[in-house]
């Protein structure tokens, strides 16, 4: 992962999570993370002519429910599946827009966010910056050229 | 006096959050109506009067730009203020939105005090001592 992009996406996600989801996360150096330890992933493609980038956020179930509950102002146990999906798509949508603003990039178009669930038996690994909340694994953030979430596990 | 608001966003979660933020901002809200895209918004507006519209840009069926154009084309709706609440980062696109008639914009993520300040400016509740152009957005 490009170090400058790393820094920008880290800052973008931190701001979005703090402002709208009321949570602060820490980031570790890029690493491989097993998809089986993660619950779901939302990603958004950004396009400028023939160039594409994709930003994605994969989360554990507990972190996903927590931020969905915070966002909606409801109890964690009350978060429905469709709400979790909607919220995570909004998260990555806002993170993408915030990233583009920080990168001062004109003419990039955000596409419609995508969402996928991971199977507990998944053997796939994801490469990105692990996130944690006070040392507790929360998920992973990635940014790369081309499309990621369309890859099969 | 309370203002009737129409929130236009394809994300139901975001519409809920905007409603909450409006309440937290202290802005006086009467009826808070919702629509999932520009076309739905026009259907709502055919039957309900609102004082201000808060709209996303990127939506299926009819996006924020389409909504702005449709509102401008209708004599009874063209003066209803539209504030865009958006992830759009392109300055040229945001200028285009203002040229189409948007009164201002807020970038997501946003805070209640920023919503209140922009709506107060646009709805004319300031005491006149605040500087600023209602066509400027809040960036953060």
């Amino acid at each position: 992962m490009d170090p400058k992009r790393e820094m920008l996406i880290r800052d973008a996600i931190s701001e979005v999570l703090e402002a709208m989801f009321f949570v602060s996360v820490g980031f570790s150096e890029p690493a491989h993370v097993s998809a089986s330890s993660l619950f779901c992933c939302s990603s958004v493609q950004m396009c400028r002519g023939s160039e594409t980038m994709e930003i994605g956020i994969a989360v554990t179930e507990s972190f996903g429910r927590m931020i969905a509950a915070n966002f909606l102002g409801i109890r964690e146990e009350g978060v429905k599946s469709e709400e979790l999906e909607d919220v995570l798509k909004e998260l990555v949508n806002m993170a993408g827009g915030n990233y583009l603003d920080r990168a001062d990039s004109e003419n990039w178009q955000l596409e419609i966010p995508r969402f996928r669930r991971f199977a507990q038996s998944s053997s796939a690994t994801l490469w990105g910056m692990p996130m944690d909340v006070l040392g507790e694994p929360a998920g992973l953030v990635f940014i790369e050229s081309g499309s990621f979430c369309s890859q099969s596990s | 006096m309370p203002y009737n608001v129409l929130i236009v966003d394809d994300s139901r979660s975001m519409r809920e959050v905007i409603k909450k933020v409006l309440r937290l901002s202290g802005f006086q809200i009467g009826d808070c109506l919702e629509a999932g895209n520009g076309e739905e918004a026009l259907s709502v507006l055919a039957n309900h009067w609102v004082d201000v519209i808060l709209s996303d840009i990127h939506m299926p069926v009819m996006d924020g730009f389409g909504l702005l154009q449709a509102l401008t084309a209708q004599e009874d709706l063209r003066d209803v203020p539209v504030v865009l609440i958006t992830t759009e980062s392109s300055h040229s696109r945001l200028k285009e939105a203002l040229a189409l008639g948007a009164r201002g914009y807020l970038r997501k993520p946003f805070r209640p005090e920023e919503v209140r300040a922009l709506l107060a400016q646009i709805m004319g509740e300031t005491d006149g001592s605040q500087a600023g152009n209602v066509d400027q957005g809040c960036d953060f």
Side-chain angles (χ1 to χ4, degrees):
Chain A
M1 204 183 288
D2 177 83
K4 186 180 175 189
R5 282 187 180 180
E6 250 178 64
M7 181 189 72
L8 290 174
I9 191 58
R10 206 170 49 226
D11 291 347
I13 286 175
S14 292
E15 179 173 348
V16 170
L17 284 173
E18 286 166 20
M20 304 291 288
F21 298 83
F22 313 115
V23 64
S24 290
V25 295
F27 292 92
S28 305
E29 290 299 308
H32 281 110
V33 174
S34 171
S36 62
S37 68
L38 299 165
F39 185 64
C40 57
C41 168
S42 61
S43 68
V44 64
Q45 267 199 310
M46 300 175 286
C47 303
R48 180 172 67 181
S50 59
E51 292 180 81
T52 62
M53 276 196 295
E54 185 159 17
I55 286 174
I57 302 172
V59 299
T60 61
E61 184 171 6
S62 59
F63 182 70
R65 289 196 173 280
M66 180 185 77
I67 61 174
N70 288 355
F71 189 70
L72 297 169
I74 62 176
R75 297 171 68 89
E76 281 184 40
E77 50 268 27
V79 173
K80 302 187 185 88
S81 298
E82 57 269 25
E83 288 172 331
L84 177 61
E85 178 176 337
D86 196 28
V87 167
L88 286 176
K89 283 177 176 175
E90 268 304 321
L91 167 59
V92 80
N93 192 36
M94 286 191 276
N98 199 301
Y99 169 84
L100 290 175
D101 192 40
R102 287 170 183 275
D104 206 19
S105 299
E106 278 289 310
N107 302 320
W108 284 94
Q109 180 77 26
L110 279 172
E111 301 296 321
I112 304 291
R114 293 182 288 179
F115 177 86
R116 65 178 284 200
R117 289 274 296 267
F118 292 118
Q120 281 188 326
S121 58
S122 174
S123 60
T125 60
L126 286 77
W127 171 260
M129 286 185 290
M131 293 188 297
D132 66 271
V133 177
L134 298 175
E136 192 68 28
L140 181 91
V141 169
F142 57 86
I143 175 168
E144 52 190 68
S145 301
S147 172
F148 175 81
C149 265
S150 59
Q151 293 173 21
S152 56
S153 57
Chain B
M1 82 183 212
Y3 294 99
N4 293 338
V5 180
L6 172 61
I7 299 169
V8 190
D9 196 303
D10 58 327
S11 166
R12 187 178 167 192
S13 301
M14 183 52 73
R15 296 199 303 268
E16 286 299 316
V17 168
I18 292 172
K19 282 196 290 188
K20 286 195 172 72
V21 167
L22 283 172
R23 285 196 293 271
L24 286 171
S25 74
F27 197 72
Q28 295 286 320
I29 303 295
D31 289 336
C32 200
L33 305 171
E34 297 179 44
N37 57 62
E39 197 171 273
E40 282 182 22
L42 292 171
S43 295
V44 170
L45 292 167
N47 297 300
H48 302 276
W49 172 256
V50 299
D51 298 292
V52 62
I53 299 168
L54 304 180
S55 179
D56 193 6
I57 290 182
H58 300 294
M59 297 178 288
V61 184
M62 181 188 280
D63 66 10
F65 287 95
L67 176 59
L68 284 166
Q69 288 170 326
L71 292 172
T72 305
Q74 295 191 43
E75 194 175 340
D76 57 337
L77 293 177
R78 65 170 62 121
D79 292 328
V80 178
V82 178
V83 174
L84 299 173
I85 298 187
T86 179
T87 55
E88 180 62 66
S89 62
S90 164
H91 294 291
S92 56
R93 292 266 291 169
L94 290 168
K95 274 189 181 173
E96 185 185 339
L98 293 174
L100 283 174
R103 295 291 301 278
Y105 60 86
L106 282 166
R107 283 215 187 96
K108 301 174 187 175
F110 48 85
R111 293 179 170 83
E113 55 268 27
E114 283 141 349
V115 174
R116 178 180 171 75
L118 185 57
L119 286 179
Q121 227 183 339
I122 287 170
M123 304 309 291
E125 285 187 357
T126 60
D127 60 5
S129 61
Q130 291 181 27
N133 179 347
V134 296
D135 287 338
Q136 284 182 343
C138 284
D139 299 342
F140 28 88

